[in-house]
Amino acid sequence: MAEHPPEHPPESPTEKPAAPRDWTDGHVDRWQPVLPGLDPDIEASVTRMSRLTRHLGRVREQSVADYGLHKHEFDTLHVLAGRGGHAAPSDLRADLNLAPASVTGRLETLERRGFVLRTPSTEDRRKVDIVLTEAGRAAWQEALDVVGREERRLLGVLSEEERRTLADLLRKVMLAQEGKG
């Protein structure tokens, strides 16, 4: 039986195999003829960051809902946990960038659910401190764990050095966005 030549000649030793293509590669390919001045690297980077952010947002929303929380409840518990589990309402208002009435409403709901307690301030008896309860910490942690697993799954394809490089590059971009770069 005669040997048939392969359909595609083998790649030469100096040629790299073609990198896998994602949705964004096709997006950039479609737009380059329409916008000849388009920088494909900028378009690809911005599009990928946007799609990744939307994906992680959907995962977060679903995990929050799966654990019986509303997004605004999770956000409030998250900020409170980040302050060591206790804060003044004014600190939460500043962190969440909300009007006082909005924070008050959130705290009332979270208190009814047993996720936070209002206790007299140790510094000023006219004020209250907000304390994260064990139930609140557990609800926050369960939802957070789902998001964390997805973040680790996605960024786990990168080596530790690649993750550090990505973080450094994104910091450089963010400093420009913040007017510091």
Side-chain angles (χ1 to χ4, degrees):
M1 183 179 261
E3 279 191 42
H4 295 285
E7 287 185 31
H8 301 288
E11 295 175 10
S12 72
T14 58
E15 284 184 50
K16 290 183 181 178
R21 291 175 53 86
D22 66 1
W23 181 93
T24 299
D25 292 318
H27 165 81
V28 171
D29 289 348
R30 284 186 301 279
W31 280 102
Q32 277 196 290
V34 177
L35 300 170
L38 180 70
D39 181 321
D41 293 327
I42 290 175
E43 181 65 18
S45 296
V46 170
T47 300
R48 286 185 178 108
M49 285 187 288
S50 176
R51 289 177 63 84
L52 182 58
T53 299
R54 281 195 310 271
H55 169 74
L56 290 173
R58 285 190 302 268
V59 168
R60 181 177 176 199
E61 286 176 25
Q62 187 60 55
S63 69
V64 165
D66 287 349
Y67 289 99
L69 294 170
H70 295 285
K71 182 185 177 306
H72 66 275
E73 291 173 324
F74 175 84
D75 292 344
T76 305
L77 295 173
H78 188 71
V79 166
L80 187 56
R83 286 188 163 270
H86 57 87
S90 58
D91 295 331
L92 298 175
R93 278 194 299 273
D95 290 349
L96 294 165
N97 193 27
L98 292 172
S102 296
V103 171
T104 300
R106 286 184 184 197
L107 294 175
E108 287 171 356
T109 301
L110 290 169
E111 189 173 36
R112 277 194 303 272
R113 295 189 68 186
F115 292 158
V116 301
L117 292 174
R118 295 178 205 221
T119 62
S121 171
T122 55
E123 297 172 7
D124 183 344
R125 300 303 251 171
R126 296 170 295 171
K127 296 181 179 181
V128 297
D129 286 330
I130 307 304
V131 178
L132 184 62
T133 65
E134 284 305 312
R137 183 175 302 282
W140 164 75
Q141 188 68 57
E142 288 171 342
L144 185 66
D145 286 348
V146 173
V147 176
R149 280 193 300 275
E150 182 63 1
E151 290 170 348
R152 286 186 300 278
R153 182 185 77 83
L154 295 173
L155 294 175
V157 302
L158 302 176
S159 69
E160 186 177 330
E161 182 180 337
E162 289 170 326
R163 289 191 302 270
R164 189 173 303 112
T165 298
L166 176 62
D168 290 343
L169 292 171
L170 290 172
R171 178 184 306 106
K172 190 173 184 177
V173 172
M174 290 307 300
L175 287 169
Q177 183 268 326
E178 294 170 1
K180 299 174 186 173

